[in-house]
Amino acid sequence: MADLTMTRLYEVMIVLYAISLVFYFTDYFYKQVRARRIAFWLVSFVWMIQSAIIILTSVETKRFPILSLSEGILFYSWLLVTLSIILHCIARVDLPVFIINILGFLFASIFTFMPKRPTGAVGETLISELLFIHISFAILSYAAFTLTFVFAILYLILYRLLKKKKWSHLWTRLPSLQQTSSWMNISFFIGIPMLFISLILGFEWALLTLESLSIFDAKIIGSFIILMLYCFILYVNRKNKLTGTTYAWVHIYAYLLVVTNFFLGSSLSRFHLWY
């Protein structure tokens, strides 16, 4: 009965999320204020359903559900929905909210339709507060880099429109190029220390918990490559050698590497026991 209830919650979540995207699309292209309000409330319901799933899973497993790949994807999707609601209420930026919700829907769909397994993938003897903090900071950093990715896309769109002078009513609700660049930098600066803290805590947890640790593990290598890449981007940008559209494209490629490491790195890893 509990499994059936959870399955129905997954289905309702996906249906509501899909309908909300239709209303966001309608609002953006046809300026329907009522459609935007409906979309916002539907996304709010999605957020409540995801929160309920997290709470119910916590009660069932007696831990915060973040230790398996499916649980991590749900938490990541929940963070994206939360960010979209905050941006909708505070920043009043429509296109970034729309793009974030598309990404959130994508990961919510992956979570809904991927196979679920009864255990958390990490043995009970290996669970500790340090591990929870490590994974939480990692996913928070991914959420920050997602915002960087979204604002990088928006920057390229705005730059192209301004350069070719093809401005229309569709783009009147966009922020300025300077605002987009600032938001891209802020989310980028937040993501780097979060990822660094996550890797330090994860490495410390592994040394204290695991009997053997290989530094040639796929997830470890991938995570440190991503950290070094983002640090290099930060360094070059501070030297004013990486600006404008090149800077935006680099962030887009870096985020694609983050997503690849999130899925492929976890699958190939022996150290990270996600599945």
Side-chain angles (χ1 to χ4, degrees):
M1 186 64 181
D3 291 339
L4 181 60
T5 301
M6 296 296 282
T7 300
R8 292 293 174 261
L9 281 177
Y10 301 155
E11 294 171 351
V12 171
M13 174 185 68
I14 290 299
V15 170
L16 290 179
Y17 215 158
I19 295 174
S20 72
L21 291 179
V22 173
F23 278 104
Y24 269 124
F25 181 86
T26 302
D27 165 59
Y28 189 78
F29 284 93
Y30 298 101
K31 288 190 175 181
Q32 297 290 329
V33 177
R34 186 177 180 183
R36 182 167 71 250
R37 290 175 181 171
I38 294 174
F40 172 75
W41 285 113
L42 287 174
V43 168
S44 299
F45 280 125
V46 170
W47 182 87
M48 286 188 287
I49 291 174
Q50 288 183 331
S51 300
I53 293 173
I54 291 173
I55 293 172
L56 290 174
T57 306
S58 298
V59 172
E60 181 182 356
T61 60
K62 298 181 181 180
R63 60 172 176 78
F64 189 77
I66 202 176
L67 297 182
S68 72
L69 181 57
S70 62
E71 292 171 353
I73 292 173
L74 174 63
F75 183 58
Y76 179 53
S77 176
W78 180 85
L79 284 175
L80 294 183
V81 175
T82 303
L83 288 172
S84 75
I85 292 174
I86 293 173
L87 287 175
H88 179 99
C89 296
I90 298 177
R92 295 288 182 179
V93 284
D94 298 317
L95 188 57
V97 169
F98 185 35
I99 297 175
I100 290 172
N101 276 308
I102 290 175
L103 293 172
F105 176 75
L106 174 63
F107 284 97
S109 300
I110 293 173
F111 164 77
T112 300
F113 298 112
M114 74 184 301
K116 305 295 189 301
R117 299 187 184 181
T119 63
V122 177
E124 294 294 331
T125 57
L126 300 182
I127 296 176
S128 67
E129 292 183 3
L130 195 61
L131 178 61
F132 281 112
I133 298 172
H134 156 62
I135 299 177
S136 298
F137 268 90
I139 298 178
L140 286 170
S141 70
Y142 296 161
F145 292 140
T146 302
L147 283 180
T148 306
F149 168 75
V150 170
F151 290 126
I153 291 177
L154 190 59
Y155 183 93
L156 293 174
I157 293 174
L158 284 167
Y159 182 86
R160 184 177 180 83
L161 290 172
L162 291 172
K163 185 176 181 180
K164 295 195 173 183
K165 298 181 180 179
K166 291 185 177 181
W167 204 259
S168 67
H169 72 281
L170 293 177
W171 314 112
T172 55
R173 293 152 68 183
L174 293 178
S176 67
L177 200 65
Q178 182 60 40
Q179 287 176 322
T180 305
S181 179
S182 297
W183 291 338
M184 180 168 54
N185 284 326
I186 290 172
S187 55
F188 171 50
F189 295 153
I190 292 174
I192 289 180
M194 283 186 173
L195 181 59
F196 178 74
I197 292 172
S198 171
L199 293 180
I200 294 299
L201 293 178
F203 194 72
E204 182 180 351
W205 171 84
L207 290 176
L208 294 174
T209 308
L210 301 180
E211 294 181 359
S212 61
L213 172 64
S214 174
I215 61 173
F216 298 104
D217 182 84
K219 190 62 180 291
I220 294 178
I221 294 175
S223 297
F224 275 98
I225 287 176
I226 289 172
L227 178 61
M228 289 187 292
L229 174 61
Y230 274 112
C231 289
F232 178 75
I233 294 172
L234 176 62
Y235 173 77
V236 177
N237 177 250
R238 298 293 291 181
K239 294 291 184 178
N240 293 321
K241 296 181 179 179
L242 192 64
T243 57
T245 56
T246 304
Y247 183 57
W249 275 115
V250 166
H251 278 299
I252 291 174
Y253 292 135
Y255 176 73
L256 295 179
L257 184 60
V258 168
V259 174
T260 301
N261 185 61
F262 185 65
F263 288 103
L264 186 60
S266 298
S267 301
L268 298 177
S269 175
R270 295 181 179 179
F271 165 65
H272 287 77
L273 303 177
W274 279 13
Y275 60 97

